[in-house]
Amino acid sequence: MTSPTPATLPTSQGRSGPSLHHIRRGQGKPLLLIHGLGSSWQTWAPILAGLEAQREVIAVDLPGFGHTPPLPGEVSIATLADALTDFLTRANLLGIDAVGTSMGARLVLELAQRGGVLGAVVSLDPGGFWQGWERGFFYSTVAASIRLIRALQPAMPALTSSPIGRSALFAQFSSHPWDLAPDLTLTEMRSFAASPSTDELLRNLAFGEVQQGIPRGRLEHPLVIGWGRWDRVCLPVQASRAQESFPDARLHWFDHSGHFPHWDMPAQTLRLILDTTA
């Protein structure tokens, strides 16, 4: 992984809210990248170079993840959306195009629903569209994975360096975990174990606020919802519910992807992002 240079260090603390650690690279029209639960800006490594070749990329660590301190109060989609809106306002970036993955994909949908914050949006396998038993399935399986990740931290370098180890650790998240880069997977496992806001946000995602949509005819900017056909976290049946909530959005299927298309199908994900936000 590439470490942040001095030019990509966090901005200073503002009066109206906490700063978000972020990187800012490339040239062209700005593009915001928002990671998923337990992760950090480094989750975007497989497509960063391709994006930076055409866009100015701003990839953030959300509060309580990566190098950004946690929020002082409740951790929820609503409070994270407030923090992101404040960050974009102070950076004069309102209206920026945005891409989110997993929990970050739900977050960009929330900001799109609020209006006036984002431009074009790509939402990759968003959470928040489960019903009935799917809530418990999501919470229990991800919570069990997190407990296992924390317990295995001493062995994590050896596990992530092995295709067999990566297959065991990431079977829920990737359609071909043995092919994932060892440094990417180790960074992800370290981040999951260290993030102080993971547990509270996981409960909120599963059992908290319901994602609101945008009625037909009210969508102001392009919106694409991408879904991996082999997603074992946000099950593919939930994609139709997401599109019902955002009827003017376009649904894009990744035929050979699990929960993270930017890992499993980086070339197609890169092209989808660049085309949608062109």
Side-chain angles (χ1 to χ4, degrees):
M1 293 291 175
T2 305
S3 299
T5 64
T8 64
L9 291 177
T11 55
S12 60
Q13 176 80 23
R15 290 184 179 180
S16 54
S19 173
L20 303 185
H21 177 269
H22 61 283
I23 63 149
R24 191 165 185 167
R25 303 176 181 164
Q27 297 182 2
K29 187 181 179 185
L31 178 67
L32 179 69
L33 303 181
I34 305 176
H35 62 78
L37 179 72
S39 191
S40 73
W41 71 268
Q42 295 183 83
T43 191
W44 299 104
I47 61 172
L48 268 180
L51 291 175
E52 292 166 16
Q54 300 192 44
R55 304 294 294 270
E56 181 186 21
V57 174
I58 301 164
V60 300
D61 286 345
L62 293 171
F65 301 95
H67 293 290
T68 299
L71 295 172
E74 178 190 10
V75 182
S76 67
I77 291 295
T79 58
L80 291 179
D82 291 342
L84 262 174
T85 301
D86 176 72
F87 168 77
L88 295 175
T89 301
R90 289 185 287 117
N92 196 30
L93 289 169
L94 288 177
I96 189 173
D97 298 337
V99 183
T101 177
S102 189
M103 178 270 292
R106 179 173 177 185
L107 194 49
V108 295
L109 292 179
E110 169 65 20
L111 291 173
Q113 188 272 332
R114 292 184 178 192
V117 182
L118 301 179
V121 165
V122 177
S123 175
L124 301 172
D125 294 74
F129 297 99
W130 28 72
Q131 294 179 359
W133 65 269
E134 297 166 1
R135 291 179 179 273
F137 171 82
F138 164 75
Y139 180 81
S140 61
T141 56
V142 175
S145 295
I146 292 171
R147 289 193 297 270
L148 181 63
I149 288 166
R150 289 170 176 160
L152 292 176
Q153 283 302 302
M156 204 56 72
L159 289 171
T160 55
S161 67
S162 161
I164 296 175
R166 293 193 298 275
S167 296
L169 288 170
F170 289 91
Q172 185 180 5
F173 300 96
S174 171
S175 61
H176 44 271
W178 51 88
D179 285 334
L180 300 177
D183 58 345
L184 171 69
T185 55
L186 178 59
T187 299
E188 195 78 4
M189 293 295 92
R190 294 297 198 211
S191 180
F192 254 105
S195 298
S197 296
T198 297
D199 293 340
E200 181 180 354
L201 189 55
L202 175 62
R203 286 191 296 273
N204 180 275
L205 286 169
F207 306 112
E209 58 207 290
V210 176
Q211 175 67 59
Q212 301 300 310
I214 300 177
R216 188 177 301 278
R218 299 285 297 277
L219 187 64
E220 298 179 352
H221 303 283
L223 171 59
V224 173
I225 299 173
W227 222 287
R229 290 197 184 274
W230 299 97
D231 192 337
R232 299 180 182 92
V233 179
C234 297
L235 304 179
V237 67
Q238 296 163 18
S240 60
R241 300 172 196 157
Q243 193 164 39
E244 288 173 4
S245 295
F246 296 86
D248 290 329
R250 179 167 67 90
L251 181 61
H252 178 91
W253 286 104
F254 293 92
D255 289 334
H256 306 290
S257 177
H259 188 57
F260 294 129
H262 61 294
W263 289 8
D264 288 344
M265 301 186 69
Q268 187 177 135
T269 304
L270 177 63
R271 179 47 49 199
L272 178 68
I273 293 170
L274 294 175
D275 288 349
T276 303
T277 64

